[in-house]
Amino acid sequence: MAKDNKKRKNNKHDENLSTEAPHILDFSNYKMITSIEDKAENKKFEMLKIGINKYYEVEIPKNVKKYGNITIPNNSEDKDEKDEKDESFNKKIILDDFKDEMSKYALKNINNIKSDILTNISMNLASNLKNKVTGRKTIYVTENIPLMGHTAFGVIDRGTNIIQVRGHSGCNIRCPFCSVDEGTPSKSRINDYYVDIDHLMNTFERVVEYKGNNKLEAHLDGQGEPMLYHPLPELVERLNDVVSKGSGIVSIQSNGVNLSYKLIDELEEAGLHRINLSINAMDEKFSKGLSGKKTYNIEKIKEMAEYVKNSKIHLLIAPLLLPGYNDEEFRKVIDYAVDLQNRIPQNTINPITNNLNPILGVQLCLTYQFGRKVPNMKIWDFKKFYELLNTLENEYTKQGFDVHLKTPLKYYGSRPMRRIPCPFSLNETVENVKVVAEGRIFGEVIGIARDRVIQIINCKNTEKLLGNTVNVKIHRVKDNVIVATLC
């Protein structure tokens, strides 16, 4: 379990035990532990709820027989709720039976209790980690699972200078048009993934080394809301430390729900270049409907958008057109972005292009196999979509505004680039693939072979496959996303 490099108190029994109050176990130096709560549903089976990386949790037995009486400080006892900078909030366990005990025997027992708690947490990370946002079981991905091969997590290289970085899956809203059926409830998604930050960086750096560190873009996206990755500012900073050496950038997609003044400041300091902010309607009721959440607050999103616009981070507003459904709201979002750009002109230069990025990146809603479909939405091709964009651009020109709505990826510096070779061939039979985890959807398991993850689909009795080796037939290899079925 990772520890901060900060200097801690010197104690011959445990450097994390207070010399004045050793019965108070402080877990602040363990970065992944972000909260500790007392979950006492009944007296017979009491549990401790351990917050992991802010948005996840595991439960471990309180074990009164072994630990004695335990008290978990209330939030209000440890810090003012308004003080967002105090990261030691709610990370203590008080061993009541050891209060005022300072003997070597007592200190040894306290050390043993703390070690036992940490061991319990580590064991539960592997099998009982839960996403607090989606409520789904979460697989904690460490170095034993490669990070190329799956679309839900890891690193994706599609043969350009844009490297997709996916640290987790899971979303805090439930858009009725979502291409991957994310949010809660979901008909198809049964598991989430969280990737250890060191493992994620090691894979990213290997990809950069192969491709050449020349004007790369590390783009944080995924099957869910990328802003829910924790610790996000640290990840952005580490990615930026790599790509900035080659005049590259770090960008992120977001629905904006998780944005705050504090997070924006941290991301700006970390070196984030651009936020692609999804806004699909300006009307309060309509925007709630398109987010699938009654708590969605378009005014708060607009407030955060203006704050980003006043920072060094480039803001790109990315409205999605659902033909026949949000046509008027789509136009309102464009009007809002044009007005925002005129009020607060963008002055952040993209080092890849040495130009300013556009304020808008409009998109057309498409339908996908496992995605949701909006009733009454019309299906358009891109020819019809671009005809609409031409019409809108001409209207803005007549009003005296130079608005670019057709913005291909080359506007942002995207270009073809050497890609990581795929170790598999289409229709190849691969033997001795080790099944290491449950899949993202029903009937899927995750196998590993040749330093790749393989999505093995259409499986029956998936629980019986875990831990075994199987033979598979490869059905997809494009972009090193590997999909197979059992032979």
Side-chain angles (χ1 to χ4, degrees), residues 355-409:
N355 291 314
L356 297 173
N357 288 326
I359 180 67
L360 281 156
V362 300
Q363 303 170 82
L364 174 65
C365 186
L366 304 174
T367 57
Y368 296 87
Q369 180 184 1
F370 293 107
R372 301 190 189 107
K373 297 172 179 62
V374 177
N376 302 322
M377 187 190 87
K378 298 176 181 178
I379 305 300
W380 279 15
D381 58 22
F382 280 100
K383 180 181 178 182
K384 192 168 185 177
F385 182 53
Y386 289 136
E387 287 174 355
L388 171 66
L389 300 186
N390 281 329
T391 300
L392 294 177
E393 286 181 347
N394 290 334
E395 289 181 13
Y396 283 114
T397 299
K398 291 177 182 178
Q399 298 174 35
F401 298 113
D402 183 21
V403 177
H404 297 278
L405 297 178
K406 301 186 296 297
T407 54
L409 288 175

Side-chain angles (χ1 to χ4, degrees), residues 344-362:
I344 313 173
Q346 181 66 48
N347 56 13
T348 299
I349 298 293
N350 184 339
I352 295 177
T353 63
N354 291 319
N355 291 314
L356 297 173
N357 288 326
I359 180 67
L360 281 156
V362 300

Side-chain angles (χ1 to χ4, degrees), residues 284-297:
E284 180 182 358
K285 185 177 180 180
F286 211 120
S287 63
K288 288 181 185 295
L290 283 180
S291 72
K293 288 289 183 180
K294 293 180 180 180
T295 55
Y296 183 87
N297 186 346

Side-chain angles (χ1 to χ4, degrees), residues 62-104:
K62 200 169 182 179
N63 206 339
V64 176
K65 290 184 178 180
K66 192 170 187 178
Y67 305 155
N69 293 315
I70 285 178
T71 300
I72 306 299
N74 293 327
N75 295 352
S76 58
E77 293 177 11
D78 267 0
K79 83 166 194 176
D80 184 339
E81 290 182 1
K82 296 181 181 180
D83 181 10
E84 297 182 272
K85 295 183 179 180
D86 185 356
E87 296 297 335
S88 64
F89 172 49
N90 202 30
K91 298 180 185 178
K92 295 188 175 96
I93 294 175
I94 300 175
L95 304 177
D96 297 324
D97 292 354
F98 289 89
K99 187 178 181 180
D100 301 323
E101 292 283 348
M102 298 295 290
S103 68
K104 288 184 178 182

